[in-house]
Amino acid sequence: MKLDIAKDGIMQTLARLKGIPVSKVIRNAGRDFAQAALKATPITGTSKSEYARTKRKGKAGWQYIRLDKCSPRQRRLLAKKQYKIVIHRGLAKASWKGVFQALAMTTGSPNVKKNMPSKVATMSGAISRGTEQMPEIVISNILDFYSPRRRGTDADILAAGFKLASERIVKEINRMLQAAAK
């Protein structure tokens, strides 16, 4: 078997070496990404957000507005009605629960505590799509991980996820090539 990584790509090469579909390699890389992303996500402490939840005028549902964009009168009304959003400790890590469920991962899955909103598991997800030759997994999390004082920003989380996934792929290819050379 002739391997041309530059032409085929590293995922296709690993799939050919192992004799498995490319979609399985992509799924495993998505699992590796999720593990590292969870580890790189900071534990948020219980705090009040700068957003408040209000009823939409003339429409069903809620809207979220920044408190610093409100008038003083509106701010007093929101404080009186206690619509201020509370960010529970561990919410950032727990928000990855949907990705772990979508990728059928059980080990290392973030746990959602009793005091957290029931929608935490729906804050993230993973969708498999693409063709047989070019499959892909789209991983999403609706939380914005930006903290000017701490590590754990979106860029740090993405970098950690891609780093672990690529390291494991390269390690597996090297292991298989060394075993084949013996």
Side-chain angles (χ1 to χ4, degrees):
M1 174 187 342
K2 184 179 176 192
L3 297 174
D4 188 357
I5 294 175
K7 180 179 160 235
D8 292 340
I10 198 157
M11 300 285 197
Q12 288 83 359
T13 301
L14 182 59
R16 284 178 50 202
L17 281 171
K18 291 188 110 179
I20 58 175
V22 179
S23 59
K24 191 169 183 179
V25 174
I26 299 289
R27 185 201 66 207
N28 291 340
R31 288 176 171 182
D32 297 339
F33 177 91
Q35 283 179 343
L38 174 66
K39 190 173 182 180
T41 301
I43 297 176
T44 53
T46 304
S47 66
K48 291 184 179 175
S49 171
E50 69 263 12
Y51 288 89
R53 185 176 75 154
T54 63
K55 284 274 193 189
R56 292 181 188 219
K57 292 178 184 168
K59 296 180 182 177
W62 297 91
Q63 68 179 354
Y64 297 91
I65 56 172
R66 282 183 69 108
L67 290 173
D68 58 356
K69 305 275 186 200
C70 298
S71 67
R73 180 181 174 274
Q74 193 175 17
R75 224 176 283 147
R76 280 192 307 274
L77 285 172
L78 291 172
K80 202 181 292 182
K81 293 179 182 177
Q82 296 180 344
Y83 284 136
K84 197 153 186 197
I85 300 168
V86 175
I87 299 174
H88 297 280
R89 178 170 170 75
L91 177 70
K93 283 195 179 278
S95 69
W96 289 101
K97 181 93 175 162
V99 172
F100 277 69
Q101 288 174 345
L103 295 174
M105 297 171 66
T106 55
T107 56
S109 179
N111 57 344
V112 180
K113 297 182 176 135
K114 287 186 285 185
N115 64 344
M116 286 206 202
S118 59
K119 291 190 166 205
V120 168
T122 62
M123 294 175 124
S124 64
I127 301 168
S128 296
R129 64 180 191 194
T131 64
E132 183 85 21
Q133 293 78 24
M134 294 300 291
E136 65 180 2
I137 289 185
V138 179
I139 296 175
S140 62
N141 192 325
I142 65 166
L143 283 184
D144 184 18
F145 298 108
Y146 174 72
S147 173
R149 288 171 273 155
R150 297 187 286 196
R151 71 172 208 37
T153 62
D154 286 336
D156 296 336
I157 293 167
L158 288 173
F162 285 123
K163 181 181 178 195
L164 182 65
S166 62
E167 283 175 354
R168 287 187 178 170
I169 289 170
V170 169
K171 184 178 176 181
E172 183 66 15
I173 287 177
N174 286 338
R175 186 191 66 76
M176 292 186 77
L177 289 175
Q178 287 175 355
K182 290 182 180 180

